[in-house]
């Protein structure tokens, strides 16, 4: 998924750069805000065995970008997304038991660094901190218990941005988030949680 998204972003920016019309000067600072839609794939891994499940992710983003005269872009951004992805694993503690993990809201704050290969496009990388809310359920065959926790991780991403006009743009982006091991009921379950996302963002720039 990530290779297809990155290749699509590079191709879109490269092809769009000479074709779209906008103001000649792009340097300076702008506030940005936008709506996010994409595919969310949450993966759990335990004892070398991994499972994943995909669903739609929706959200909002806001931030600030500054572009130099040479076309280097520096940005900061915050993001709120929500997903209904759920994954489960069996036999992770005792034979026949089952643990399920359901993703909830995800908060992100981080930075972007990019460059403008043409007048109407930007290629960029990003990194930051992500805090996910996850609900866990455990059933050992004698009863079920549940817990909801939030825990942090690191997000890395890359993508392309195409200017639709001087005040609007669209992004195609891949990002990977690693949350480490899931802790439920005050115990480290040893269940590693990560997610891959491919998203499209429609941005306004002001």
């Amino acid at each position: 998924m990530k290779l297809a998204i990155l290749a699509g972003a590079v191709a879109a920016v490269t092809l769009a750069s000479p074709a779209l019309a906008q103001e000649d000067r792009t340097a300076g600072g702008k506030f940005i805000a936008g709506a996010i839609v994409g595919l969310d794939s949450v993966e759990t891994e335990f004892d070398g065995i991994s499972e994943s499940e995909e669903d739609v992710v929706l959200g909002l983003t806001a931030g600030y970008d500054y572009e130099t005269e040479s076309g280097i872009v520096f940005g900061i951004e915050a993001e709120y997304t929500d997903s209904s992805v759920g994954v489960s694993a069996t036999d992770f503690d005792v034979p026949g038991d089952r643990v399920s993990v359901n993703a909830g809201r995800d908060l992100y704050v981080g930075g972007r660094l990019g460059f403008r290969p043409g007048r109407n496009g930007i290629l960029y990388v990003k990194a930051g901190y992500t805090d996910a809310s996850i609900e866990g359920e455990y059933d050992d065959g004698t009863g079920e218990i549940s817990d909801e926790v939030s825990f942090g991780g690191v997000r890395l991403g890359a993508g392309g941005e195409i200017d639709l006009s001087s005040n609007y743009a669209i992004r195609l982006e891949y990002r990977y988030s690693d949350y480490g091991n899931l802790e439920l009921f005050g115990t480290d379950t040893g269940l590693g949680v990560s997610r891959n996302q491919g998203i499209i963002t429609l941005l306004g720039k002001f």
Side-chain angles (χ1 to χ4, degrees):
M1 179 179 73
K2 61 183 178 181
L3 292 178
I5 293 170
L6 293 178
V10 172
V13 170
T14 302
L15 292 174
S17 292
L20 297 176
Q22 74 164 48
E23 298 174 354
D24 289 337
R25 189 177 184 278
T26 57
K30 286 188 175 182
F31 290 98
I32 60 172
I36 296 169
V37 62
L39 177 67
D40 187 20
S41 176
V42 175
E43 180 175 339
T44 57
E45 182 177 351
F46 181 79
D47 199 22
I49 300 175
S50 62
E51 296 185 26
S52 64
E53 185 169 325
E54 294 74 36
D55 209 331
V56 174
V57 59
L58 301 171
L60 299 171
T61 185
Y64 182 82
D65 279 354
Y66 182 81
E67 183 175 342
T68 68
E69 293 288 350
S70 60
I72 304 299
V73 179
F74 302 91
I76 56 173
E77 59 186 349
E79 182 181 297
Y80 172 91
T81 56
D82 199 1
S83 173
S84 57
V85 170
V87 294
S88 62
T90 58
D91 302 326
F92 88 96
D93 188 26
V94 297
D97 67 357
R98 180 177 182 273
V99 61
S100 63
V101 178
N102 299 305
R105 65 106 183 105
D106 193 359
L107 304 176
Y108 167 80
V109 60
R112 286 200 314 150
L113 175 63
F115 72 98
R116 189 176 289 275
R119 187 169 58 181
N120 301 96
I122 297 171
L123 296 175
Y124 64 88
V125 293
K126 64 188 294 181
Y129 174 80
T130 172
D131 181 88
S133 173
I134 288 185
E135 180 180 325
E137 297 180 353
Y138 175 71
D139 188 349
D140 63 0
T142 62
E144 182 178 291
I145 55 176
S146 63
D147 190 17
E148 184 174 356
V149 297
S150 62
F151 57 102
V154 176
R155 175 174 296 170
L156 303 173
E161 180 176 308
I162 301 169
D163 291 331
L164 304 177
S165 70
S166 59
N167 294 111
Y168 294 96
I170 189 169
R171 287 181 187 170
L172 182 63
E173 179 180 296
Y174 162 77
R175 64 262 199 99
Y176 169 77
S177 302
D178 187 351
Y179 301 98
N181 287 350
L182 178 65
E183 184 175 303
L184 288 173
F185 319 112
T187 303
D188 185 347
T189 65
L191 191 69
V193 181
S194 62
R195 73 196 320 160
N196 293 274
Q197 296 175 322
I199 66 162
I200 297 173
T201 305
L202 180 62
L203 288 172
K205 300 184 176 185
F206 312 97

